[in-house]
Amino acid sequence: MPNLFSNCGGITSPNPFWLASAPPANSGLQVMRAFEAGWGGAVWKTLGTPIQNVSSRFGALRGPGAGGEPVGFNNIELITDRSLDINFREIYEVKKRFPKHAVVASLMVETKEEWKEIIARSIDAGADGLELNFGCPHGMCERGMGSAVGQEPRINERITSWAKEYSTIPVLVKLTPNVSNIIPHGLAAKAGGADGVSLINTIKSVIGLDIDRFVMEPRVAGLSTNGGYCGAAVKPIAMFMVGELARSREFGLPISGIGGIGNWRDAVEFLLMGASNVQVCTAVMLHGYRIVEDMIEGLTDYMSSHGFETVDQMVGKAIPSFSEWGELDLNYETVAKIDPDLCIKCNRCVVACHDGAHQCIHINPDGGVPTIDLSECVGCNLCQIVCPVPGCITMTEVDNGFEPATWNLHVTEGAPLRPKKGVH
Amino acid sequence: MRSSPEWTLASQRSELAFPDGKPAYNQAQAVAEASRCLYCHNPPCVQACPTHIDIPSFIRKIATGNVKGSARTIFDANILGYSCARACPVEELCVGDCVYNDAGIPPIQIGRLQRYSTEIAVREGWSYFTAGAPTGKSVGLVGAGPASLACAHELRRLGHACTLYEKSQVPGGLDVTGIAPYKLRGEEALQEIHWVCRIGGIDVQSGVEVGKDIAWEELERRHDAVFVGMGLGPDRRLPGADLDGVDGAVAWIEKMKLGTVSLEGVRSAVVLGGGNTAMDCLRELAGLGVPEVTMVYRGTPEGMSGYKHEWEAAKKLGVRGIFGATPAGFVGEGQVSAVRIKGAEGEQEVPAQLVLLAIGQARLGEQLRPLGIHADASGRLIADAQGALSRPRWYAGGDCTNGGKEVVNAVAEGKAAALSIHRAMGV
Ligand SMILES: Cc1cc2nc3c(=O)[nH]c(=O)nc-3n(C[C@H](O)[C@H](O)[C@H](O)COP(=O)(O)OP(=O)(O)OC[C@H]3O[C@@H](n4cnc5c(N)ncnc54)[C@H](O)[C@@H]3O)c2cc1C
Ligand SMILES: Cc1cc2nc3c(=O)[nH]c(=O)nc-3n(C[C@H](O)[C@H](O)[C@H](O)COP(=O)(O)O)c2cc1C
Ligand code: SF4
């Protein structure tokens, strides 16, 4: 039986599944219910000087299908609106009942004095670690906090070093994805002495418009503002940023992965990409704490079937595959194959290839299975992506007789490249 | 008498002629259907299931590819989750209550999704449950049908020893011998039972009839508690029904499922009754190629206790219904040739070389009266909501207490009784 115990920057928990700092981790009763459901840790809703929120806070980008499941989520809510006294009392109570679970205090204040005080109170309350919220991209940044800090490596480093000066417990820095290159921001946190980073926070976004009123959503009276984007749709961006930091030789700190995680498979991907654990917000907001059962079972099963005994053994397993484009083998060749027994003759591959790729899948005049002109197929995967039947179109490897050759090798040593396809 | 859990059925069985009525989903189909589920919270489908399987969770796990966890969710609530997936009248239970119905959108095919996960789990032999630490207590169970099996499995999880006394040679009760073969075949039900028994310590003494081979009182001496899951008795008969070609419906179905029935020379068959056993007989006779199958029922089509979807399916096979008529006698010398029925238009003869009596089964509760265990006038054992009978340390569940419902009810009642036995043991 694999062991799900997790350690991220010195903060330990019975499993690698934490609630991200957000409404699901807003109060003691919620966090206790989450722990009972199986969550291993929770990053408390960001603490600071309590704010006042607007009504109408969220918006969603919906996918197709009945009910239109939200695939992207947007919010304009700020940090906690509850008093610090209540929050800290509840943190204390949660820790007393769940000593082995991780409770991390997410913090966001302005002055050095304020940092000193809130850190002392967090430690007194029994928090296992701190997460510095340098990521919120709406509202708080207008007040010089959140992403306003996370976008300035010097300020990031300075505040991180204050936190480290005052803290006796591990400090994670939560990074904003609203930057063009994540590396300097991770390094700033490291320079400030952080024990690890968490990412991503939300991405600046406009989720949609009320086209009759000419007003952005979520509409607050007659106005709106940009929000922070999260949910399934941001996972690829989060995975990229986690991977970038994880493979950076200079960085080397533990990472708590966040962004679009909703099931065990997503979590496995983040771990393989270099995250030591994962945090979840939107999927819990949409479906409740209960999703963790599937995450625990799925991860356990995955670990058993792949021979991992501990979570640490998985962390970063896929990093070596994250390479530069110039190192990819240009002579590696694949072509699409359609399984005639599975094909339902929808011809989606035909139209996709004709209009969006290289015009090499042809309609069958008898209404049968489309045919692929293999001499023209460039192996782009588009047909496989649009095919509604799993396993019907497979990309199969072709032995073209060429030795592997990368662009870098071609430029430096003149390695021979196979003839291009689809360039008529 | 034997207790080795290696039960087999004859290789030649009439039931094998039937194709699978609702073929298994492949992975793509299962994921597509599972992805439609709204993952409701505390939804009506769960309320409608007598074993309260956490339906949204098991379906979501199919969508995420966690088939093993999906089957765990099912079996944790209902240890015969595979049989139920295939045998439950889902139109009347979970599927009928899917919230999509209210939105005018086709409901989720919960039964087929449940079959998907559980079939893989049983085939792969995934095990989820281990026997509890031995408590030193033992329970005797009468019968090895769904009620006793569910009760025994739960008792084993709690660490109690279990002995099942089963009069027939194979366990499973009507789950093996009664379910219409286009829903579930005997060997498929048996495969799940083998899987259930893998928890260990479910000692099935087959070929032992309590009350004949061993006295009822003896059970009480041998065990700390007794669970009665003996189901219903033989088919009710009618006067004059001793001609060849007149058979009890449940008896005939058992022959069809465990061995072969001959339909040579049967051009017309009549089924008397309008319940679900009658519905099954109609579809089975038509499915085995009897050219003319007629149901004779005393009430109206609306008043039939057989499910509407079953009657619709029977009609699609060309089955004919005569309503408002009661049997008045059987015609024939040695072998039946017709049934005489009496209706609004007087008496008539309906030709039949085979007549199946589906007018109910006897109830066996009377057998326990000497122990001071109460049964109602019809012979149904009277148990409280926890399955306790009117004699201390005696419990019951399934058809013998509910009067004849579904496999899923028997499982729910067997499990509930196990929990109250456990509480009463106080270990
Ligand atoms: C024709 C028919 C079709 C059905 N179709 C369906 C269906 O499609 N779906 C569904 O969910 N349900 C169906 N049912 C109902 C379902 O089979 C029963 O509700 C369920 O099997 C009841 O389980 P049980 O354990 O209470 O009793 P049973 O299944 O009847 O099991 C009782 C067991 O006890 C044994 N026994 C009895 N007396 C003694 C004794 N004195 N000593 C030792 N052993 C004894 C019997 O041999 C038997 O094995 C059907 C029933 C019939 C009759
Ligand atoms: C309504 C809402 C409120 C949030 N509040 C906070 C917050 O107070 N502090 C913080 O660090 N992140 C906050 N976040 C960001 C989440 O913690 C998380 O980083 C982000 O939503 C990405 O994860 P997800 O895709 O699982 O939602 C909030 C997100 C949402 C949707
Ligand atoms: S989710 Fe709850 S708090 Fe939010 S609008 Fe609906 S009822 Fe109000």
Side-chain angles (χ1 to χ4, degrees):
Chain A
M1 190 73 169
N3 185 348
L4 296 200
F5 176 84
S6 139
N7 181 345
C8 183
I11 309 172
T12 60
S13 52
N15 65 47
F17 302 113
W18 292 4
L19 295 176
S21 173
N26 197 47
S27 67
L29 286 177
Q30 285 174 288
V31 172
M32 288 197 262
R33 272 199 286 125
F35 287 173
E36 275 160 14
W39 291 89
V43 185
W44 211 269
K45 174 74 188 170
T46 301
L47 304 175
T49 311
I51 53 73
Q52 169 109 35
N53 269 314
V54 291
S55 251
S56 185
R57 302 174 192 178
F58 308 148
L61 176 72
R62 290 179 181 278
E69 187 65 9
V71 292
F73 196 83
N74 168 279
N75 87 89
I76 57 170
E77 129 175 347
L78 306 182
I79 63 170
T80 190
D81 51 7
R82 309 162 76 231
S83 86
L84 288 178
D85 289 347
I86 295 178
N87 278 305
F88 283 126
R89 193 178 64 229
E90 292 177 359
I91 289 178
Y92 175 78
E93 284 161 4
V94 171
K95 271 314 291 183
K96 214 166 64 180
R97 257 193 71 194
F98 294 91
K100 292 211 161 74
H101 287 61
V103 175
V104 176
S106 168
L107 306 176
M108 186 199 286
V109 286
E110 276 190 274
T111 66
K112 194 171 179 185
E113 261 320 294
E114 285 172 332
W115 280 104
K116 181 178 179 183
E117 189 196 330
I118 203 164
I119 289 172
R121 292 187 69 182
S122 304
I123 296 170
D124 286 348
D128 299 293
L130 307 177
E131 187 181 86
L132 313 185
N133 180 348
F134 296 166
C136 181
H138 44 85
M140 302 312 291
C141 53
E142 293 172 22
R143 305 180 193 179
M145 292 179 274
S147 64
V149 175
Q151 286 165 336
E152 288 298 335
R154 275 175 307 121
I155 311 182
N156 167 341
E157 179 182 336
R158 187 189 326 138
I159 300 182
T160 305
S161 68
W162 294 346
K164 280 303 287 182
E165 183 184 335
Y166 299 131
S167 178
T168 52
I169 56 179
V171 174
L172 306 177
V173 170
K174 185 164 179 181
L175 299 175
T176 174
N178 298 293
V179 293
S180 53
N181 177 4
I182 196 72
I183 304 278
H185 305 279
L187 293 178
K190 183 177 184 183
D195 298 282
V197 295
S198 18
L199 72 164
I200 60 174
N201 207 309
T202 55
I203 304 169
K204 279 195 176 197
S205 60
V206 171
I207 197 71
L209 296 186
D210 178 331
I211 58 172
D212 298 318
R213 288 191 170 93
F214 318 124
V215 180
M216 278 164 35
E217 307 273 10
R219 183 175 64 81
V220 180
L223 296 176
S224 187
T225 186
N226 80 270
Y229 196 46
C230 50
V234 310
K235 188 183 130 200
I237 299 166
M239 292 255 287
F240 163 68
M241 292 189 160
V242 166
E244 279 279 274
L245 281 176
R247 75 192 185 117
S248 150
R249 277 186 224 299
E250 272 175 280
F251 181 67
L253 292 185
I255 298 169
S256 184
I258 320 170
I261 297 163
N263 59 50
W264 66 270
R265 192 182 292 270
D266 299 330
V268 165
E269 287 180 343
F270 270 83
L271 297 173
L272 295 176
M273 205 63 184
S276 297
N277 74 356
V278 294
Q279 301 185 24
V280 181
C281 163
T282 304
V284 171
M285 291 183 67
L286 298 177
H287 301 301
Y289 302 127
R290 60 191 170 147
I291 61 171
V292 76
E293 182 180 307
D294 167 64
M295 299 177 112
I296 292 172
E297 280 174 354
L299 174 62
T300 307
D301 200 30
Y302 173 85
M303 288 173 69
S304 309
S305 61
H306 289 74
F308 294 118
E309 281 152 18
T310 65
V311 174
D312 283 350
Q313 290 171 353
M314 308 175 50
V315 172
K317 267 279 180 190
I319 296 284
S321 76
F322 192 160
S323 150
E324 303 304 325
W325 196 93
E327 291 299 321
L328 304 182
D329 179 8
L330 290 167
N331 286 342
Y332 174 76
E333 183 174 349
T334 60
V335 292
K337 286 257 164 69
I338 302 177
D339 182 337
D341 296 331
L342 291 178
C343 175
I344 57 173
K345 290 112 193 162
C346 65
N347 290 326
R348 288 183 62 166
C349 55
V350 174
V351 70
C353 185
H354 268 256
D355 295 359
H358 290 83
Q359 301 85 46
C360 57
I361 308 189
H362 303 291
I363 205 151
N364 186 325
D366 308 329
V369 179
T371 51
I372 303 181
D373 180 354
L374 296 182
S375 68
E376 290 290 324
C377 172
V378 302
C380 72
N381 303 347
L382 182 65
C383 52
Q384 189 189 38
I385 290 167
V386 298
C387 179
V389 181
C392 176
I393 299 186
T394 43
M395 304 305 300
T396 50
E397 223 172 298
V398 175
D399 181 4
N400 54 23
F402 281 81
E403 289 296 309
T406 66
W407 176 250
N408 293 346
L409 268 183
H410 175 69
V411 173
T412 54
E413 295 171 23
L417 302 182
R418 65 183 164 118
K420 292 186 217 173
K421 289 168 97 179
V423 282
H424 36 74
Chain B
M1 201 197 276
R2 66 157 217 246
S3 58
S4 126
E6 266 312 317
W7 305 286
T8 48
L9 299 180
S11 54
Q12 298 282 313
R13 308 196 313 281
S14 298
E15 71 159 346
L16 298 178
F18 289 88
D20 197 338
K22 274 189 193 168
Y25 276 147
N26 63 29
Q27 189 196 357
Q29 293 165 329
V31 169
E33 184 65 5
S35 304
R36 272 195 337 113
C37 175
L38 296 176
Y39 197 30
C40 304
H41 171 63
N42 196 19
C45 58
V46 175
Q47 297 310 315
C49 171
T51 57
H52 302 309
I53 295 173
D54 184 350
I55 293 164
S57 288
F58 97 68
I59 292 180
R60 181 181 160 87
K61 291 176 185 180
I62 294 175
T64 72
N66 176 13
V67 179
K68 200 183 250 184
S70 170
R72 180 206 315 277
T73 300
I74 297 163
F75 285 125
D76 190 42
N78 178 338
I79 195 62
L80 294 183
Y82 174 63
S83 293
C84 288
R86 303 196 53 184
C88 272
V90 290
E91 298 83 350
E92 308 293 326
L93 299 171
C94 52
V95 175
D97 270 12
C98 172
V99 297
Y100 267 139
N101 291 303
D102 289 347
I105 295 169
I108 300 293
Q109 292 303 301
I110 299 168
R112 297 184 76 177
L113 288 170
Q114 183 171 322
R115 171 176 179 179
Y116 176 75
S117 305
T118 53
E119 192 160 86
I120 295 174
V122 170
R123 185 173 65 223
E124 298 293 321
W126 289 333
S127 46
Y128 301 106
F129 310 109
T130 46
T135 59
K137 304 279 184 188
S138 100
V139 181
L141 300 96
V142 183
S148 291
L149 286 168
C151 183
H153 189 269
E154 195 65 26
L155 289 167
R156 291 300 300 134
R157 285 178 80 175
L158 297 165
H160 306 297
C162 291
T163 305
L164 284 68
Y165 302 90
E166 168 56 57
K167 71 174 180 203
S168 112
Q169 289 305 324
V170 285
L174 288 165
D175 195 34
V176 171
T177 65
I179 310 293
Y182 40 83
K183 296 181 191 164
L184 179 72
R185 299 207 307 229
E187 84 276 9
E188 296 168 320
L190 209 48
Q191 195 187 2
E192 181 178 39
I193 294 165
H194 278 123
W195 178 85
V196 169
C197 289
R198 288 192 11 182
I199 192 169
I202 295 184
D203 176 23
V204 181
Q205 305 278 322
S206 43
V208 179
E209 181 170 351
V210 179
K212 199 170 124 207
D213 301 315
I214 173 177
W216 290 98
E217 293 81 0
E218 173 65 15
L219 297 186
E220 201 177 59
R221 283 190 286 277
R222 286 191 190 177
H223 302 286
D224 299 290
V226 181
F227 175 82
V228 183
M230 63 183 172
L232 301 175
D235 297 286
R236 294 207 179 99
R237 306 293 293 182
L238 284 174
D242 38 19
L243 292 176
D244 284 351
V246 182
D247 210 343
V250 176
W252 180 83
I253 291 170
E254 177 171 335
K255 280 181 245 170
M256 187 256 312
K257 287 192 57 93
L258 295 187
T260 51
V261 287
S262 166
L263 291 168
E264 239 182 72
V266 179
R267 290 177 316 282
S268 344
V270 165
V271 177
L272 299 176
N276 283 314
T277 297
M279 296 302 120
D280 284 2
C281 290
L282 297 169
R283 294 177 65 180
E284 286 156 357
L285 289 164
L288 288 172
V290 175
E292 204 173 277
V293 180
T294 307
M295 175 187 71
V296 175
Y297 175 57
R298 64 189 142 91
T300 60
E302 297 72 41
M304 276 193 307
S305 63
Y307 296 127
K308 197 168 159 352
H309 67 268
E310 293 284 355
W311 175 232
E312 293 303 323
K315 279 197 294 190
K316 281 213 185 88
L317 298 173
V319 163
R320 184 167 72 109
I322 300 177
F323 294 92
T326 48
F330 300 93
V331 185
E333 297 285 320
Q335 157 74 38
V336 72
S337 61
V339 193
R340 218 174 19 253
I341 60 171
K342 200 162 63 198
E345 297 101 51
E347 280 201 9
Q348 60 165 309
E349 280 185 10
V350 186
Q353 295 77 46
L354 178 64
V355 181
L356 298 180
L357 307 178
I359 51 172
Q361 289 167 262
R363 291 170 179 174
L364 303 170
E366 278 303 314
Q367 298 180 49
L368 294 167
R369 191 170 296 273
L371 289 167
I373 291 174
H374 302 316
D376 69 10
S378 72
R380 191 174 60 84
L381 288 174
I382 299 174
D384 71 9
Q386 266 39 262
L389 294 172
S390 49
R391 182 180 175 91
R393 303 198 284 127
W394 285 72
Y395 299 79
D399 280 1
C400 65
T401 54
N402 66 32
K405 285 185 177 167
E406 314 289 344
V407 173
V408 66
N409 301 92
V411 170
E413 293 164 22
K415 184 175 175 182
L419 295 173
S420 62
I421 291 170
H422 178 64
R423 277 191 302 271
M425 299 266 200
V427 285

